[in-house]
Each structure stands twice: as C-alpha cells, then as structure tokens.
Amino acid sequence: MNGVMAGRTEHRYPSEAELAVAASAAALSLDRQSRGASTDLKPVVELVEMLNGRLELAGERQQGLLDPITAQFFRRALVLPEDQERSVQAIREAASSFLERLAQALQGSKDVSLPELRDTCVALSQSAQASMNMFFDERPRHPNKRVV
Amino acid sequence: MIRPAREKLAATLALIDRLRSGTFPYPHADDVLAHIETILKAADERLDPEADENYLRNEYNVVTGLLNRFLPYLGFLYRSKSSANAFELYGPLLRLVRELVHGDTKLVLASEWEFSPFTYVGSHDLRDTILVGLPASESSNVLLIPLAGHEVGHHLWAARNLTARFQALMWQAIIRQIEANWTEYRKRFPDDPSEINTLLQDAFFLERWSTPQFLAMRQLEEVLCDLVGVRLFGQAYFHAFAYLLSPGPASRSPEYPPLMHRITFMRQGADRWGYTLPSGYEAIWTPYHAPDPGSDTDFLAAIVDDAVDASLDQLLQVVDEIIPQDRFPIVRSEEVDAVERALEILTPISTPAGLPTIVNAGWRIYFRQDVWASYSSVGDRKKAVVLNELLLKSAQVTEVLSLLREDHT
C-alpha cells in the first residue's frame, strides 16, 4: 500500500453512474423484501457503503458542511422539513438518518417502512441520473453530430 | 414499458454474442465483453414485473443509461480488431500499465474515429480494464504513444482513489478563492448571502458551485494525467502533445485548464524530474482569447482555474507517490543516446530499452534534418514511415527479450 492509499481515503468515491444503478438495485431489493418475495439485501449493503463514502468524503462532519455536488445529490432525493429545505446541515442530518434507517432494515427491524426506504432509493437513483445529465451537458459535443 | 426495456437489452446481448464470435487480437477484449454482459443481464433481472411501478419507471431509465454507457464500449471492442492498430506496442504497453496500475490490469487498444486519444474511465465495474482509443489515422504512430501515458493517468486517478483524496480539498481550495475574490463575487451575485459562511450553509446558493466543483475535479484529473505523461515519457510527451494540439484551439473546454496553464504545469513537472523542455516550446502555442472576459461564467471559471493552479504542488507529490523513482526511473539521456545511435544506422535496437527511451530517441531522429542523408533510398517522404517501422521493431525486440527473461527467471 502506498501513501496515497493510506490515511483518510479508505472510502471510495462512487460515481453518479454507479449510484444510479446501485440505488435502483437497492430499491428493488427493498421492494421484494416488503412483498416477501426475497430476503436478499446485498444491494442495500452495497448502497450503504457507497453513500457512506460520498458523505464522509464531502467535508468535515463536525462543521456540518457538504461539498456542492454531494449537497445537491442528497437534496434532490431526500424529504426535508419545509423550513429547513435550504439548510446544508439539515441535508447532512437527513442523509445520515436515511443511512441509519437502511442499517435498521438490514438488521430486520420492524420499525422502518420498507416502501418508504425503497422510494428514497428510487429518488437517489433519479438524482444521480440528473447529476450525470447536468455534468454531461457541459461536455463539448461533436460539431457535426446531432442526437435525438 | 417493460417489453421495450427487455428487448433493448436482448438486442445488445445478441450484439455481444456476435462480437464474441470473431477473434479479438487482445485477449482482454473477451473479458470486457463478459463483464458488460454480466451487467446487462443483472439489469434484465431487475426488470421484475411484480415490482413497484415507480421503481420500474426509474429502472427503465437506468437500463437506457447502461446502454448509452456500454454501446460505445462494444464499438470500441469491434474496432480493436482493426489492422490499423500498432499490435507491436501492445506487449510493452501492457507491461507498463501493469507495473503502474495493478498486476492484473487488462488493456485493449483500438483505432478510433475521433482525432484525439481517449479512454473510458470511472466505471467501477470495469476498473481493472484500460481501454485506450487512438485516432485511426495515427494509431500506429509510435511517436504518439506518450499520449497513451496521459490516458493511463486517468486509470491511476481511479485506481489510487484520488477523487476521494481531492474532493473535499478541492472544495476548500475553491472556497479560499471565493474568499479572495469576495468583493467581486458580491458585486456579481448581490442576491447571495452577504457572509460566506452563510452561503456555505445554504443549499440553494451552494448549487451555483456544483458544476464548477465538478469541472475543477475534471481539470485536476487532466493535470495529473499530463504530469503522468511528462513523468513517464519526459520530452517525448511534450512533442506528442504539441503534434496533436499545437498551436492550440481557439477556445477552451471547461473540463481542461487553459492551455497555457497546462503547459506551465507540465514545465514544472519537467523541472521537478530533471527533464529539459524542448527548445522554444512555449512559443509554439497561441493562447486563446476569451470572447467575453467579463461574464459571470468566466468569473466562476477563473475561480476554478485559480483553485486548480493552487493544487499543483499536491498533484506533483501524488505523481511522485504513484510513480516512484526506484521502480520507474527517469528517462536517462545516455540510454536515449544509445537507441538513437542504432536508429541512425537504420537498425532497431539489439538490447532492451524501455518504451519511453525508444520514443524519445524516435523524436530526436524525427527532428534531425541530417539523419539518413547518406541513404539515398530514404527520401524525405519515406523518413516518417521508416522511422516508425524501426521504432515498432525496437519495441518488439524489447518485448521478446523481456519474455525470454521472464521464462528464464
């Protein structure tokens, strides 16, 4: 292991493309669990790992700050109290709370609503896709190429 | 809607089968196909007709997104069979990337129909695989191989988890630049909070910075890749870079630092590693002029540029960490001399030399007006072809000798 891999970067920073797929897979897993169709929650474990990575690498937790990309990603997906919709601190707290509820679901807790968690996973997948589109709009396109 | 999603996946999986029926010159192409097939089959399994409608509607878009992502990969693999590829370079390049990135790294080269080398990067599910596309018109040109070094830099960025290392640091660097330009910022965006700490806590205003932060990270990655190219190939990287881009485009891409900044970063890398910049190098470039230097967009871009500039020292340190000198020696001039002497007499090398050494000697010959003057059969028109053949053969000699040494040990 070299110096780059050591230290505070043990979390991996998942891309929007990965998050879009992982969140959708987790949503299906929770959906099947709620219907009693399957008990395989491995996709949820993978999503929790990815989201933890994004959250931990987005800035100092103690300061309650998030970098703009991560703040936007979570803000578009999470439901916040009306008077705190613009608060970065509230976004961070809501994201942490969502991760805690996913962890509870993984432990088989009956206190969490699986359909609610599923819907949030779908919203996260949509948010990741929206981010990809936004960033790719910045990319120069071939001057003679037209797309649908 | 489930039917078209399934049919789109089935059509792509059928295409993969058809591609597989041909023989790939690079064995790793089959691995990439298998990997994409696994991803698409998993997507097909997620199309559960009993699932929640809201979930399914999103999954249809996920499927379309996957096909958008991976269909170009399939085209890439198809074109990797083209005879325009310099197959002789595959072995030496694979050896280099495996030493640099990981011992199991897979590599596929293709001649592509874009006039710029490129690579597909950032896909976790294919992160042990490097796909490098070279312009079809130049894909057998050994002198441009240093540009593949830049593309390998993108994979080093991913493999060494550098987004994780720099994401928060880069945002802090941007914040410092906002603070340094706070008066101007307030003039341009008077509706934003009057205190920067308030701005950082307000998600609405923070969103103004999501695209600049994204672009800053992209720029940082590109700078690292240039530095990797310089570190590995020395002067040859400067020559290849100029061959492709000089005197410089009329406008900039926001994903790259301004061209003259890139040249400055590369020069600082060269200074650090003891390479000499080609004579008159900076003068060959024409800096572009922004059409509207006073726009808000340009103001934000300037803040990003300054934040990237301020991160150069950290990037130089990273390059030293990921390309340690004990394993990847600096290109040595006396070794280049030895290869140059072989090329001078129209012969490939007879003792092994690293790809960077061979390419640097090639560039020396390229610029020498007098070389081969006594060989009447090598006119000016043939010079480039003859040089390229000699370089390809030299790369092959090195590869054969490396293989023999491996067998021996």
Side-chain angles (χ1 to χ4, degrees), chain A residues 16-88:
Chain A
E16 272 66 24
E18 291 169 59
L19 282 168
V21 176
S24 190
L28 177 62
S29 184
L30 290 162
D31 186 67
R32 284 177 170 162
Q33 174 93 340
S34 70
R35 288 186 277 125
S38 167
T39 55
D40 177 16
L41 290 174
K42 192 172 164 228
V44 179
V45 175
E46 288 172 1
L47 179 66
V48 167
E49 193 178 312
M50 285 188 188
L51 294 178
N52 266 323
R54 282 295 285 256
L55 211 50
E56 288 300 317
L57 297 167
E60 292 301 320
R61 185 202 302 256
Q62 288 81 0
Q63 294 170 6
L65 297 180
L66 289 173
D67 70 78
I69 294 175
T70 308
Q72 187 178 45
F73 166 66
F74 281 116
R75 190 176 83 86
R76 276 196 295 236
L78 300 173
V79 178
L80 299 168
E82 206 168 308
D83 60 341
Q84 292 182 48
E85 277 180 335
R86 292 167 64 155
S87 163
V88 173

Side-chain angles (χ1 to χ4, degrees), chain B residues 1 4 7 171-172 198 247 249 288 309 334 358 361 369 384 394 407:
Chain B
M1 278 189 285
E7 288 178 354
W171 175 228
Q172 287 163 12
T198 314
Y288 83 96
D309 288 358
E334 54 270 32
I358 293 170
Q369 301 291 328
S394 296
D407 281 352

Side-chain angles (χ1 to χ4, degrees), chain A residues 4 9 11-13 18 24 31-32 35 57 67-69 72 75 86 88 125-126 129 135 139, chain B residues 48 50-51 55 58-59 61 124 127 160-163 165 167 201-203 205 207 210 213 321:
Chain A
V4 178
T9 56
H11 285 289
R12 201 174 61 77
Y13 188 92
E18 291 169 59
S24 190
D31 186 67
R32 284 177 170 162
R35 288 186 277 125
L57 297 167
D67 70 78
I69 294 175
Q72 187 178 45
R75 190 176 83 86
R86 292 167 64 155
V88 173
S125 175
Q126 289 169 333
Q129 291 170 68
F135 299 146
R139 302 192 68 171
Chain B
D48 179 347
E50 303 299 318
Y55 156 77
N58 179 63
E59 183 60 25
N61 281 334
H124 176 53
R127 69 176 167 173
R160 301 295 182 262
N161 206 15
L162 294 181
T163 301
R165 178 162 169 169
Q167 184 79 358
Q201 291 285 356
D202 190 316
F205 291 108
E207 277 193 15
S210 57
Q213 190 200 4
E321 288 172 26

Side-chain angles (χ1 to χ4, degrees), chain B residues 95 352-353 395-409:
Chain B
R95 202 174 291 281
Q396 279 182 302
V397 167
T398 296
E399 179 64 7
V400 168
L401 292 174
S402 299
L403 287 170
L404 291 174
R405 196 173 53 213
E406 276 170 10
D407 281 352
H408 187 66
T409 54

